[in-house]
Amino acid sequence: MDVIQVEHIRKRFGNKDALADVSFSIPKGEIFGFLGPSGSGKTTLIKILTAQLNATSGQASVFNLPAELMHQSAQKMRFGILTDNSGLYERLSIEENLELYRQLYDLPRSSIDKVLQFVNLSGERKKKVSLLSKGMRQRVLLACAIIHEPELLFLDEPTSALDPVNSAHIYKGLRYLNEKGTTIFLTTHDMAEADLICNRVAILYQGQIQTIGSPEGT
Amino acid sequence: MSISLKRARAIFVKDYKEFTRNYAVSIMLIFPIILALLFRSVDPSVPGIFAVVLNLSFVILSCFTQACLIAEEKERNTLRSLMMTPATTMDVLFGKSSLVFVMSAVVLGIVTYILGYEPTSIWAFVAVIILSIILYTAVGTICGLFSKTVLEASLTILPVIFIFTGAPWGTLLVDDFPIFKVLEYLPSTQLVYFLEVRNTGFTMGDLFPPLLITLAWTVVLTIVSVVLYQRRLKDE
């Protein structure tokens, strides 16, 4: 079963095509990498798939539903998202930030301990977000995105602010999530990262998919 | 449009924690009280004094505070993160507005006590105060949604302060400038008219026009703030 299906998606901003006739599908349980330089349309596609943007033409579906329906609460319970547009409450501690998400997703208290262990921040839970390093913030953002153990996870360059040690920890965690059944849609401009973690990758350039396949073959 | 009280409460609690640690905004709570203490010695029979303090308090407490809270969420990208959770438009707006509502109600209660104002009809007075808080909170939401940063929100609010608190004074010039008659329909002017209804010999017909005009403003501005928020869900 495909979790994401994209058919001939086109997105036009003014007189420029951010995406031009993009088609692909992602089966359940896959880690799919979307590779491309900055401005190639990766974030635009995530925004279309999560109902933050409407496509100019073409069809996109998530969980076999039109992507435009992803603004509904019931659908938002099913996916998690981490983009460079994600933010944290600076005056609150890591735990207080996660407490908000726990309540919004109506989860048990144990979910905070579980996700903090996952991102290796159990010892820092009382620390104010304003005092955190960029790498730690990124891990807290990831914790917010996965606290509800989503069926589908959108990650927009999740390790761009992290050092190799923290990146490796995140990769390990993502593989663990994937083994538990989470489908992961990841954008990156780092081929090595895609090679390390993705089952399949697509290379996007100037709004068009240039090639799609296994990391070894592309 | 559904609302989950559990989610709205979670947002309220989060906002309360943030607010108590944000001294730049939380200090706003004391300004209406300072104003009330300053005007306490003015003869209470002077019409308009209480309305001036109330109108300024609405702008400072409900409007400015809400605009800053919303703008800060936008500036730090937390509003977008909130929008990507199961919280609906109504959950977020109700949760965020509840904090401002409670704070405004408490501080305005203290202001009324300090100034020793005795309302013509307590029920009508409570109704007009509640409507005004909702109305100014909606204006604050609109200003916050139009601003990208807290600084921008502070500037966006200036015309609101000027128009809403200045409107009752502007009506004094109606004889010379008939166009200023439109200012009579602003909620701040209606509040002045409402508070000027005398304790003795009033009829409900005296109280209803300002109440109904304020209600109309509240409904329209609340709808505008909800529609604008929903538009901000999209990046178009």
Side-chain angles (χ1 to χ4, degrees), chain A residues 1-206:
Chain A
M1 193 193 91
D2 289 332
V3 175
I4 295 177
Q5 277 184 313
V6 174
E7 287 171 25
H8 307 293
I9 281 287
R10 183 164 165 250
K11 179 65 192 177
R12 202 168 173 81
F13 291 113
N15 57 2
K16 190 176 177 283
D17 274 337
L19 293 170
D21 197 28
V22 171
S23 300
F24 66 93
S25 60
I26 303 176
K28 187 174 164 48
E30 189 171 66
I31 302 182
F32 186 85
F34 225 58
L35 270 135
S38 299
S40 57
K42 304 186 298 286
T43 305
T44 302
L45 187 60
I46 286 189
K47 285 185 173 175
I48 290 172
L49 292 171
T50 53
Q52 296 178 68
L53 263 180
N54 289 328
T56 308
S57 64
Q59 287 189 324
S61 64
V62 181
F63 307 125
N64 280 324
L65 294 167
E68 301 88 68
L69 297 182
M70 290 304 117
H71 71 276
Q72 295 175 344
S73 294
Q75 304 312 321
K76 284 181 186 167
M77 295 288 279
R78 301 176 72 186
F79 70 83
I81 179 167
L82 166 62
T83 71
D84 53 0
N85 273 336
S86 305
L88 295 167
Y89 296 99
E90 301 275 324
R91 294 182 197 89
L92 304 186
S93 67
I94 296 174
E95 190 173 28
E96 286 170 329
N97 269 275
L98 290 171
E99 177 62 19
L100 170 67
Y101 282 82
R102 182 191 76 75
Q103 291 186 28
L104 293 177
Y105 285 104
D106 198 15
L107 302 168
R109 285 190 186 279
S110 59
S111 55
I112 294 180
D113 300 328
K114 215 168 151 183
V115 80
L116 280 172
Q117 267 181 358
F118 182 86
V119 293
N120 203 18
L121 285 172
S122 296
E124 325 282 342
R125 60 196 303 158
K126 301 282 181 203
K127 224 176 192 175
K128 241 189 199 178
V129 166
S130 57
L131 303 174
L132 301 181
S133 67
K134 211 173 173 188
M136 283 167 92
R137 275 165 196 260
Q138 191 75 349
R139 283 191 277 158
V140 181
L141 284 168
L142 181 64
C144 294
I146 61 173
I147 191 169
H148 58 302
E149 298 183 6
E151 291 173 53
L152 172 62
L153 184 59
F154 293 99
L155 299 171
D156 195 3
E157 309 204 354
T159 57
S160 57
L162 302 184
D163 57 51
V165 176
N166 277 316
S167 296
H169 190 82
I170 294 294
Y171 296 148
K172 196 176 149 197
L174 292 178
R175 272 193 222 99
Y176 173 73
L177 261 183
N178 180 245
E179 278 162 21
K180 286 181 72 182
T182 302
T183 306
I184 298 172
F185 181 97
L186 173 132
T187 72
T188 179
H189 53 252
D190 184 355
M191 188 63 204
E193 180 175 83
D195 195 24
L196 203 67
I197 190 170
C198 298
N199 305 122
R200 266 191 326 142
V201 295
I203 296 177
L204 192 70
Y205 184 66
Q206 292 188 336

Side-chain angles (χ1 to χ4, degrees), chain B residues 21-222:
Chain B
R21 295 169 202 180
N22 183 355
Y23 303 120
V25 178
S26 55
I27 198 166
M28 291 297 159
L29 291 183
I30 64 168
F31 285 115
I33 296 171
I34 292 173
L35 273 176
L37 290 170
L38 286 174
F39 284 100
R40 180 172 58 167
S41 53
V42 177
D43 181 358
S45 64
V46 176
I49 288 296
F50 184 52
V52 168
V53 177
L54 275 192
N55 277 328
L56 276 168
S57 303
F58 285 130
V59 172
I60 295 170
L61 279 175
S62 313
C63 197
F64 180 79
T65 309
Q66 179 78 349
C68 287
L69 290 177
I70 297 268
E72 190 177 62
E73 292 249 17
K74 282 187 75 184
E75 189 175 354
R76 301 215 163 128
N77 286 328
T78 46
L79 192 61
R80 179 46 60 103
S81 297
L82 215 50
M83 287 169 174
M84 297 315 295
T85 69
T88 62
T89 300
M90 294 312 288
D91 297 341
V92 176
L93 288 181
F94 187 73
K96 292 200 82 63
S97 305
S98 299
L99 178 70
V100 171
F101 184 88
V102 171
M103 285 180 338
S104 303
V106 170
V107 174
L108 288 169
I110 296 170
V111 166
T112 307
Y113 175 75
I114 292 172
L115 288 173
Y117 177 75
E118 286 172 21
T120 309
S121 154
I122 186 74
W123 298 112
F125 178 69
V126 169
V128 84
I129 293 293
I130 288 175
L131 287 175
S132 297
I133 294 174
I134 298 171
L135 179 164
Y136 282 94
T137 307
V139 176
T141 304
I142 294 166
C143 291
L145 286 171
F146 270 117
S147 315
K148 287 189 185 112
T149 62
V150 176
L151 182 65
E152 221 177 284
S154 314
L155 296 174
T156 311
I157 216 81
L158 289 178
V160 176
I161 295 177
F162 183 72
I163 293 169
F164 280 74
T165 58
W169 306 106
T171 55
L172 301 174
L173 302 171
V174 165
D175 290 341
D176 297 325
F177 303 97
I179 193 159
F180 281 8
K181 192 152 178 64
V182 76
L183 297 176
E184 289 179 2
Y185 296 95
L186 282 179
S188 47
T189 314
Q190 291 302 315
L191 185 70
V192 174
Y193 294 160
F194 177 88
L195 297 173
E196 280 177 353
V197 174
R198 291 284 148 205
N199 273 335
T200 50
F202 76 92
T203 64
M204 287 316 270
D206 297 327
L207 295 175
F208 269 131
L211 260 175
L212 289 176
I213 292 172
T214 309
L215 174 67
W217 273 97
T218 307
V219 171
V220 170
L221 288 170
T222 304

